[in-house]
Amino acid sequence: MNLNKKKRNYLIPFITIFCILYIFFSMRPTGTELHFTPEWTVNIHNVQKASADDKKIPYRLNNKIGYFTEEGKIDSCIEFPFKSSISDSWYCTYLQNNAKTDFYLADGTKAGTIEKEGFPFIDEDRIYIMLPGGNSFAKISEDGKTEWSYENYSPLTAFSSSKGGTVAGYADGSIISFDTEGKISQMFNPGGSDIEVILGADISDNGNIIACVSGQNNQRFVVAERNEGHSRIIFHEYLGSQLNRQTLVRFSPKADFVYYNFNGGLGIVNLLNSTAKKIPVNGKILQVEFSDDGQLVFVLSHEKNIYTIMVLEKNIHQMADFSFEGNSSFIQTRSNSLFVGRNNKISRISISNK
């Protein structure tokens, strides 16, 4: 049964889509059935201040950011005129030519000021700022001070971070990773393409492995591991078709799998046995998120005004996908629940094995 083959009726309430998904899963002929149960749907404009003890989950929908709780309270709804950045820890909004940027805790308390011009990037409990010129960035402390910075001669084209470090890719085809102190841990050019450029990159939670989509004409996916001060390529493959835009690369929490968006779908590499799999996906992949128990992977993609959520079991096996019309969306996972944002609403779907 493929939900994509069903005729879409965009007039039905969004929550009904999840009910259909739930029925689909509960009918699967397995010993233990996976159940998706719709819990609630809330409008982000219905703000109800959460208590200090409530865990707050960040969201971004259209030109609004804020936080909500697992119980369905919208703690904040903040409009931004140009750009924003938000995580569990902090958020900020900024204009195109900010000379400095204030950033705030999830409860709205001012946490600090970044006394630098540029575009802030908040990733979990890490703050960076992309500096003017496009070829340099700085790591910012929790009170807004510069911890370390790096400047290159080539424009920055890919960037990501994790608990274990930072990775940056450049227009000249070089990729550089840094440890938590800002010291270079890996630096090399994947090569192998007629035009060398890094289009997407990620770094594992332990900081030892980096992965990237690189090049134009003979585009390829490369994974490298730090080995006694050098980079050792542990996986690579040519992608056949090619993207000409920035793209997503994402390690699983244990770094046993890595996911990436290629021209035509989702690539998955099992780093335990160096095997690869490709799943067709229309449009651009926006997010790859993981359930708390590591059993499920959720992939959000977007083409024109259609968003699709694909569910993978045991990292690689496609279980189902469903689509909906919208102009903005996000997904989050917490406490074995999937949270889905669409336009100005957020829904919670509980996941259980029965």
Side-chain angles (χ1 to χ4, degrees), residues 264-307:
L266 175 71
I268 308 172
V269 178
N270 183 337
L271 295 176
L272 299 178
N273 58 20
S274 295
T275 58
K277 180 177 182 178
K278 290 184 172 67
I279 299 175
V281 173
N282 294 327
K284 181 179 182 179
I285 294 176
L286 304 178
Q287 287 179 258
V288 175
E289 303 294 338
F290 307 90
S291 62
D292 287 353
D293 59 9
Q295 294 300 306
L296 298 175
V297 182
F298 302 94
V299 181
L300 176 66
S301 60
H302 178 224
E303 185 178 40
K304 296 180 180 179
N305 65 334
I306 302 298
Y307 289 87

Side-chain angles (χ1 to χ4, degrees), residues 193-314:
S193 304
D194 295 343
I195 301 172
E196 295 189 16
V197 59
I198 306 299
L199 297 175
D202 197 20
I203 183 168
S204 63
D205 274 353
N206 63 13
N208 289 329
I209 311 174
I210 57 176
C212 67
V213 174
S214 68
Q216 292 283 302
N217 300 331
N218 293 321
Q219 191 168 89
R220 65 179 187 152
F221 181 68
V222 178
V223 185
E225 183 178 46
R226 182 173 59 186
N227 183 24
E228 297 181 352
H230 300 282
S231 296
R232 181 174 68 92
I233 293 179
I234 58 176
F235 181 88
H236 78 91
E237 66 175 347
Y238 287 97
L239 302 182
S241 58
Q242 65 179 27
L243 288 171
N244 57 5
R245 58 164 171 80
Q246 291 178 320
T247 190
L248 178 143
V249 179
R250 181 81 191 272
F251 279 100
S252 64
K254 295 180 180 179
D256 47 356
F257 289 83
V258 60
Y259 302 79
Y260 65 93
N261 187 191
F262 68 94
N263 185 21
L266 175 71
I268 308 172
V269 178
N270 183 337
L271 295 176
L272 299 178
N273 58 20
S274 295
T275 58
K277 180 177 182 178
K278 290 184 172 67
I279 299 175
V281 173
N282 294 327
K284 181 179 182 179
I285 294 176
L286 304 178
Q287 287 179 258
V288 175
E289 303 294 338
F290 307 90
S291 62
D292 287 353
D293 59 9
Q295 294 300 306
L296 298 175
V297 182
F298 302 94
V299 181
L300 176 66
S301 60
H302 178 224
E303 185 178 40
K304 296 180 180 179
N305 65 334
I306 302 298
Y307 289 87
T308 299
I309 296 176
M310 177 171 62
V311 186
L312 305 178
E313 188 178 31
K314 297 181 179 178

Side-chain angles (χ1 to χ4, degrees), residues 126-163:
R126 301 172 294 277
I127 305 174
Y128 301 85
I129 187 164
M130 307 299 145
L131 300 171
N135 61 342
S136 58
F137 66 92
K139 174 72 168 58
I140 304 299
S141 68
E142 61 184 21
D143 59 357
K145 306 301 181 183
T146 299
E147 293 183 342
W148 55 269
S149 62
Y150 183 81
E151 182 177 3
N152 201 346
Y153 67 88
S154 184
L156 189 66
T157 55
F159 190 87
S160 188
S161 74
S162 73
K163 293 183 292 187

Side-chain angles (χ1 to χ4, degrees), residues 60-61 287 300 307 324 327-331 340-343:
R60 180 190 290 106
L61 288 169
Q287 287 179 258
L300 176 66
Y307 289 87
F324 51 89
N327 51 42
S328 183
S329 184
F330 75 86
I331 57 174
V340 181
R342 172 182 178 257
N343 297 340

